[in-house]
Amino acid sequence: EAAVTQSPRSKVAVTGGKVTLSCHQTNNHDYMYWYRQDTGHGLRLIHYSYVADSTEKGDIPDGYKASRPSQENFSLILELASLSQTAVYFCASSGTEGAETLYFGSGTRLTVL
Amino acid sequence: AQSVTQPDARVTVSEGASLQLRCKYSSSGTPYLFWYVQYPRQGLQLLLKYYSGDPVVQGVNGFEAEFSKSNSSFHLRKASVHWSDSAVYFCVLSPSNYNVLYFGSGTKLTVEP
């Protein structure tokens, strides 16, 4: 069964600290995404990747870095966490059929204090 | 520019009543359109999709949506809602490259007994 696993499920970080969110997929998908969800907003695309060792900027990349060391793994890195980055983060993967084969993880709730 | 607008942040209906959730989109080309549902503390799941052809598309659990190019709309409907339909519903647009998605802000549906 297709699966996208995120870790951790939740995290509390301090302002200025480094945070790494991890995502692992077993779908053999080429595309992986990181989205951010804030109350009252839909999901906004931070970074995505369509091949290992390459990442692309989404709509709101400032303050975030991404890393795709393998087809299965995609990380989101906050080098200097800020209060405004408190949100729920979703990872997703998709095949070449795009949103028709889009699978989401369960989300990571990040609180920056 | 691509964008999706869901004008109703919250909708409350009684169990057994009919439902319409509104979605308006803006796209420079012919978009691919989707509805996703997010149950509490879960990731997003695909309800239905529209690529071309018959403007009324059927989805899971009795949901359907109607595409209107003249109105730039893709409204979601259900004839009779159940309490288990309570969730957040997202209208999603994908432009021609269909691997980058644009989300509406979501509509939180509450079904009252």
Side-chain angles (χ1 to χ4, degrees), chain B residues 2 5 10 26 32 42 46 49 84-85 90 93 99 104:
Chain B
Q2 322 290 332
T5 301
R10 296 174 182 272
S26 174
Y32 299 99
Q42 296 186 28
L46 180 65
K49 60 186 184 291
S84 60
D85 293 326
F90 292 97
L93 176 154
N99 275 295

Side-chain angles (χ1 to χ4, degrees), chain A residues 31 33 35 37 40-43 45 48 59 90 94-100 102 104-105, chain B residues 34 36 38 41-46 49 51 90 94 98-106:
Chain A
Y31 284 80
Y33 311 82
Y35 287 92
Q37 184 178 33
H41 292 274
L43 275 65
L45 182 63
Y48 67 101
D59 297 326
F90 285 97
S94 73
T96 53
E97 297 83 8
E100 185 168 358
L102 189 67
F104 281 85
Chain B
F34 308 83
Y36 276 80
Q38 183 181 29
R41 295 172 294 282
Q42 296 186 28
L44 281 74
Q45 303 170 32
L46 180 65
K49 60 186 184 291
Y51 292 157
F90 292 97
S94 178
Y98 69 79
N99 275 295
V100 178
L101 305 179
Y102 297 87
F103 284 75
S105 55

Side-chain angles (χ1 to χ4, degrees), chain B residues 2 8 12 18 29 36 40 43 46 60 62 64 69-70 88 93 104 108 112:
Chain B
Q2 322 290 332
D8 304 309
T12 300
S18 63
Y36 276 80
L46 180 65
V60 299
E64 67 176 27
K69 187 172 183 178
S70 60
V88 181
L93 176 154
K108 183 176 183 178
E112 294 181 330

